[in-house]
């Protein structure tokens, strides 16, 4: 005989009034035991309220945005089983920021809950992701759903998963984002707009500019199209913060000039000193010499020191990589920098020349400016922007003295690096550049 049971929120530790961020089923759905009915997300963890038994969803008693605490009524389930336990549901913790162990939500049931996954702290979504009305949410693990939410991807828009029994995998979500980004490239958008609504951006404005005056169309170069799509993805997917600092390079500049006189066949610019200072800083702060792996859950620490250099060419920006900078001196680096810049401008760089970087440097110092926000060259975690040095009065405790000041702008991936660490990184860079003898230590 069919019995109707109430599904309630189980023991979820000390959490109260947790918002419902996802409805995983709708009335009439046949659900299996332990299948998630709704997702709740606090600022520390995401959890599902599963069906305690197999059955048919008679009604959902919550809507998106409602808040629930332990014992809150979630759904009515019709089941053939007469002795269905009402509140024996297990909550399934799916994510908890590493430093907050209490975020691993306690479970009551005897069945072992999946291990809570650690992840970088991410802000809870401001607005619950919109769910297409009446659309069926495909099967996906809580970790995949969390991943999709972080990227703003509506899972109902992915037709079929490639996992077992058509379950959606992380790769399905990544591929969906890639498709959305490349679709945007063809629509003259800035690289992240898309017709599929994955990132929920407004469509790119379609304006007939000729209504306002004479115009001419100029196709983007191939390099600009490729780098544009990459820049747009990196800007959209990486939480960028830019840390600005100044380095006093008065002494460094005197030495650079001397070195230039001794090596007249070479152009020795401040950039080679910056490369060496970056190597020293990467050594001291290994989180910067790293990349997030494909899952976004592990940091791959690198033991080599390859630095990418953004080179401005008539066709657009390219980033060749100078390898093993820790093993090269200033003169070697100057020679190699000259060679790769020439190769870049002659369009002779191959993919191998542009891969394997640890950190990139974008120097606009030869042109001007006092600071800018460089875009991180994924999967690197930081990029150093360098502006034009200028003579400035600096208070030395007794008087203002003229000092040559170099502005530094470090953009970093805030999922990997915290602000304090970034401030230490740039302060250390400034210290190295301020006293280049330290680079020898
Ligand atoms: N402050 C003051 N002067 C600087 C300086 C700085 N930070 N950096 C370089 N200079 C000087 C150089 O010493 C050189 O002067 P001299 O000829 O008198 O020695 C002059 O500016 C030109 O330098 P350069 O730009 O040719 O050489 P570089 O080694 O500094 O840079 C390269 C090489 C390839 C990085 C550069 O040519 C380039 O392409 N920069 C643009 C990178 C870019 O577009 N970034 C933006 C990316 S985001 O769109």
């Amino acid at each position: 005989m069919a019995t109707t049971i109430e599904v309630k929120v189980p023991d979820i530790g000390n959490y109260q009034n947790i918002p419902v961020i996802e409805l995983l089923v709708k009335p009439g759905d046949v659900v299996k035991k332990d299948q998630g009915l709704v997702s709740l997300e606090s600022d520390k963890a995401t959890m599902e309220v599963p069906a305690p038994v197999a059955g048919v969803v008679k009604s959902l008693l919550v809507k998106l945005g409602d808040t629930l605490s332990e014992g809150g009524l979630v759904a009515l389930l019709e089941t053939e089983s007469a002795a269905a336990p009402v509140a024996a549901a297990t909550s399934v913790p799916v994510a908890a920021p590493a430093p907050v162990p209490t975020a691993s939500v306690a479970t009551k049931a005897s069945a072992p809950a999946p291990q809570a996954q650690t992840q970088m702290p991410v802000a809870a979504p401001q607005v619950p992701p919109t769910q297409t009305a009446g659309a069926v949410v495909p099967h996906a693990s809580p970790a995949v759903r969390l991943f999709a939410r972080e990227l703003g991807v509506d899972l109902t828009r992915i037709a079929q998963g490639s996992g077992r029994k058509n379950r959606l995998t992380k790769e399905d979500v990544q591929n969906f984002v890639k498709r959305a980004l490349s679709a945007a490239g063809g629509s003259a958008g800035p690289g992240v707009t898309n017709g599929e609504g994955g990132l929920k951006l407004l469509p790119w404005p379609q304006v007939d500019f000729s209504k306002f005056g004479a115009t001419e169309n100029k196709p983007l170069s191939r390099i600009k199209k490729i780098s544009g799509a990459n820049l747009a993805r990196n800007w959209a997917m990486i939480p960028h913060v830019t840390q600005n600092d100044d380095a006093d390079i008065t002494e460094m500049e005197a030495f650079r000039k001397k070195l230039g006189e001794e090596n007249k066949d070479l152009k020795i610019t401040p950039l080679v000193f910056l490369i060496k200072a970056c190597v020293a800083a990467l050594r001291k702060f290994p989180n910067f010499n790293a990349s997030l792996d494909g899952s976004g859950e592990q940091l791959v620490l690198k033991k080599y020191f390859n630095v990418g250099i953004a080179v401005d060419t008539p066709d657009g920006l390219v980033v060749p990589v100078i390898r093993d900078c820790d093993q090269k001196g200033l003169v070697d680096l100057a020679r190699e920098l000259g060679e790769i810049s020439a190769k870049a401008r002659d369009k002779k760089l191959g993919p191998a020349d542009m891969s394997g970087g640890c950190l990139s440097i974008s120097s606009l110092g030869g042109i001007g400016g006092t600071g800018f926000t460089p875009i991180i060259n994924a999967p690197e975690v930081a990029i150093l922007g360098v502006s034009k040095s200028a003579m400035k009065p600096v208070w030395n405790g007794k008087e203002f003295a003229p000092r040559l000041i170099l502005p530094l702008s470090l953009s970093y991936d805030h999922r990997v690096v915290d602000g304090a660490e970034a401030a230490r990184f740039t302060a250390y860079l400034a210290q190295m550049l301020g006293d280049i003898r330290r680079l020898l230590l």
Side-chain angles (χ1 to χ4, degrees):
M1 199 184 87
T3 317
T4 300
I5 63 162
E6 293 179 334
V7 182
K8 293 180 179 172
V9 178
D11 177 7
I12 49 172
N14 293 328
Y15 292 87
Q16 296 284 332
N17 302 322
I18 314 290
V20 176
I21 54 149
E22 211 172 355
L23 305 178
L24 304 171
V25 292
K26 58 183 185 331
D29 279 0
V30 177
V31 293
K32 295 189 194 119
K33 181 175 184 299
D34 291 335
Q35 183 176 334
L37 302 180
V38 298
S39 292
L40 312 179
E41 187 171 76
S42 74
D43 54 347
K44 301 264 189 287
T46 303
M47 61 209 91
E48 286 183 1
V49 178
V53 290
V56 177
V57 179
K58 203 169 167 195
S59 57
L60 266 183
L61 305 174
V62 290
K63 55 184 186 320
L64 289 178
D66 283 357
T67 55
L68 288 169
S69 306
E70 182 179 346
L73 210 48
V74 174
L76 296 179
L77 208 59
E78 208 164 66
T79 168
E80 288 301 317
S81 151
V86 170
T90 24
S91 66
V92 184
V94 299
V100 190
T102 52
S104 303
V105 180
T107 57
K108 240 182 193 175
S110 52
Q115 189 75 39
Q117 278 176 255
T118 51
Q119 61 159 104
M120 302 306 298
V122 288
Q126 301 292 307
V127 184
T130 38
Q131 201 168 296
T132 315
V136 178
V137 180
H139 289 297
S141 72
V144 170
R145 274 201 283 271
L146 177 71
F147 181 57
R149 269 198 303 281
E150 284 170 356
L151 298 182
V153 172
D154 178 353
L155 289 181
T156 61
R157 292 179 176 271
I158 305 181
Q160 201 176 36
S162 61
R164 244 184 87 239
K165 295 191 179 166
N166 298 336
R167 282 177 87 83
L168 291 177
T169 64
K170 220 163 213 182
E171 286 70 38
D172 293 328
V173 177
Q174 282 165 337
N175 289 337
F176 175 83
V177 172
K178 279 184 203 156
R179 277 197 305 277
L181 286 168
S182 47
S187 67
V192 287
T193 52
N194 59 84
E196 303 198 46
L199 294 176
K200 303 282 177 222
L201 296 180
L202 288 175
W204 191 246
Q206 301 294 325
V207 180
D208 177 6
F209 299 103
S210 64
K211 280 200 305 202
F212 308 107
T215 61
E216 176 195 337
N217 281 4
K218 178 180 164 195
L220 284 183
S221 69
R222 201 178 135 268
I223 290 181
K224 277 209 165 139
K225 279 191 207 155
I226 296 170
S227 64
N230 277 290
L231 290 166
R233 178 203 54 202
N234 299 348
W235 186 247
M237 290 179 73
I238 301 173
H240 280 68
V241 180
T242 303
Q243 172 72 18
N244 298 302
D245 212 332
D246 283 339
D248 180 337
I249 59 163
T250 316
E251 269 87 45
M252 185 198 98
E253 185 62 6
F255 180 64
R256 180 182 78 85
K257 287 207 166 119
K258 197 157 171 282
L259 204 59
E261 277 158 24
E262 290 166 10
N263 297 273
K264 289 210 184 318
D265 57 324
L266 274 181
K267 187 162 145 187
I268 298 181
T269 64
L271 198 45
V272 286
F273 293 85
L274 281 152
I275 294 173
K276 288 306 269 186
C278 282
V279 169
L282 289 174
R283 259 194 219 289
K284 189 162 172 74
F285 302 95
N287 281 348
F288 284 85
N289 197 13
S291 286
L292 281 173
D293 73 353
S295 70
E297 287 164 10
Q298 291 221 48
L299 204 53
V300 182
L301 298 168
K302 300 165 193 171
K303 310 290 177 192
Y304 48 85
F305 299 89
N306 299 342
V307 176
I309 304 292
V311 178
D312 177 38
T313 77
D315 290 327
L317 187 69
V318 286
V319 189
V321 172
I322 303 186
R323 284 168 204 281
D324 302 319
C325 297
D326 55 321
Q327 294 163 34
K328 293 174 183 166
L330 292 167
V331 172
D332 292 335
L333 287 172
R335 185 166 296 113
E336 205 170 327
L337 182 60
E339 285 164 9
I340 56 158
S341 308
K343 213 170 160 185
R345 287 173 182 138
D346 294 343
K347 302 185 193 174
K348 289 196 175 134
L349 289 175
D353 295 314
M354 292 186 277
S355 57
C358 302
L359 173 113
S360 294
I361 301 180
S362 176
S363 173
L364 294 174
I367 304 168
T370 54
F372 62 105
T373 303
I375 299 180
I376 296 164
N377 188 16
E380 295 165 18
V381 299
I383 178 166
L384 180 69
V386 185
S387 298
K388 193 175 181 65
S389 59
M391 207 44 109
K392 294 197 171 162
V394 176
W395 185 250
N396 64 12
K398 288 189 199 137
E399 59 192 354
F400 282 104
R403 307 293 297 177
L404 189 63
I405 303 298
L406 178 72
L408 305 173
S409 309
L410 179 84
S411 291
Y412 60 91
D413 184 337
H414 207 344
R415 294 172 301 177
V416 178
V417 173
D418 291 331
E421 204 175 1
R424 285 188 200 106
F425 187 94
T426 53
Y428 187 73
L429 268 183
Q431 194 191 359
M432 291 292 115
L433 294 166
D435 184 358
I436 52 167
R437 290 170 307 176
R438 290 177 184 275
L439 290 175
L440 301 172
L441 297 176

